[in-house]
Amino acid sequence: MLVVPSLLLACIGEREVSVQFAAQVRDEPLRCDASYEKVGTPGTSLQLLDFKAYVHDVSLVRKGGGRVPLVLEQDGRWQRKTVAKLDFEDGTGTCNTGSPEVHTEVTGTVPDFDDYTGVEFTLGVPREINHRNVEWADPPLDDPSMWWSWTYGYRYLRLDVRSGGNRAYVFHVRADGCTGVPAIGVDCSAENQGTIFLTGFEPRRNRVVFDVAALFAHTDFERSGDGLTDPVPGCFSSAGDPECAALFPHVGLGGGATAPGGADAFIRVE
């Protein structure tokens, strides 16, 4: 990682930045009171149930490739240290979550350069604080709905939807293969934290989009979850889950042609 010299930073000053995020279905805002048609293969209707995510170590990227960390505003609710929580559902309609507040931006300060052309962040919770008990955690890590009690770790991304056949389908990104307890230590065979690097981003003009239609473009909602080899429709980030292999590349995990950043990607700049 390229580091900005401290003397240069002292000379150029700082500016406040808001990195805006949005949840969409193609070009439409993703809402709790709407139904979206022709999603997946074959196309079916889709409704949102829940959508939240954690990001950390957000940086802006300069034209020459240098990463400049966004020093987060410590608001005591959505952001603490290097971690921020995004919440795209408002608790209405099909989103019976009991959490009416939404939060779709990450705010902080950066050096006042004029050549920012990209953004980078990690989808997840830093490993050193991921495996703490949620009951003792400070905001934004105090959300029980984002906590896996049996692996002592957080859901980095929680996306729950309902398909046309009235079946719930989930995409939960988390660490896998975890053993131990928080008081002593937890080790995981797969941390599953994807670093997302997006070009063509200028904070005053652009935003980061999560496009659910792009994520599920090749998903057959009605055939997932056979109750035997695949107990639950969707991906719980478990080893051997047959539906994770196709979804993981969308969040920077694994390889393939569906990596973030493309014009038709799940995570992209608009």
Side-chain angles (χ1 to χ4, degrees), residues 11-203:
C11 295
I12 66 171
E14 296 180 337
R15 66 176 162 108
E16 296 182 355
V17 166
S18 173
V19 179
Q20 297 289 328
F21 292 80
Q24 297 180 182
V25 179
R26 293 177 284 267
D27 295 326
E28 297 181 62
L30 180 63
R31 298 162 52 98
C32 295
D33 60 354
S35 181
Y36 303 89
E37 304 301 321
K38 298 182 180 179
V39 180
T41 178
T44 186
S45 62
L46 206 69
Q47 295 174 307
L48 178 65
L49 301 178
D50 198 357
F51 191 8
K52 302 182 182 74
Y54 286 111
V55 298
H56 68 90
D57 292 324
V58 181
S59 295
L60 297 187
V61 184
R62 300 184 64 192
K63 185 176 181 179
R67 269 66 171 169
V68 181
L70 178 66
V71 180
L72 299 191
E73 175 188 358
Q74 303 297 293
D75 63 11
R77 176 67 179 90
W78 301 102
Q79 303 183 167
R80 182 178 296 272
K81 296 184 179 178
T82 65
V83 182
K85 177 184 171 184
L86 302 170
D87 189 340
F88 298 104
E89 55 77 31
D90 61 9
T92 65
T94 52
C95 303
N96 187 23
T97 61
S99 59
E101 293 183 280
V102 297
H103 188 72
T104 59
E105 64 180 355
V106 178
T107 57
T109 58
V110 291
D112 194 17
F113 294 122
D114 61 0
D115 63 346
Y116 291 121
T117 61
V119 63
E120 185 174 88
F121 56 89
T122 299
L123 189 65
V125 173
R127 184 182 184 280
E128 61 271 18
I129 59 174
N130 183 33
H131 304 292
R132 297 180 181 178
N133 195 317
V134 68
E135 295 180 359
W136 306 329
D138 294 316
L141 298 177
D142 61 340
D143 184 351
S145 73
M146 295 294 283
W147 173 252
W148 289 81
S149 60
W150 56 93
T151 60
Y152 295 105
Y154 287 90
R155 296 172 172 92
Y156 310 144
L157 179 146
R158 176 174 186 159
L159 175 57
D160 300 350
V161 297
R162 185 169 64 195
S163 70
N166 204 32
R167 303 181 77 217
Y169 187 97
V170 303
F171 182 39
H172 294 180
V173 183
R174 59 162 177 100
D176 185 38
C178 302
T179 59
V181 294
I184 300 174
V186 176
D187 292 311
C188 302
S189 60
E191 289 295 334
N192 289 334
Q193 302 207 31
T195 296
I196 312 298
F197 169 52
L198 303 173
T199 59
F201 178 85
E202 201 287 316

Side-chain angles (χ1 to χ4, degrees), residues 176 229-231 234-245 248:
D176 185 38
T229 60
D230 187 12
C235 168
F236 276 112
S237 298
S238 301
D241 189 319
E243 296 179 76
C244 292
F248 269 3

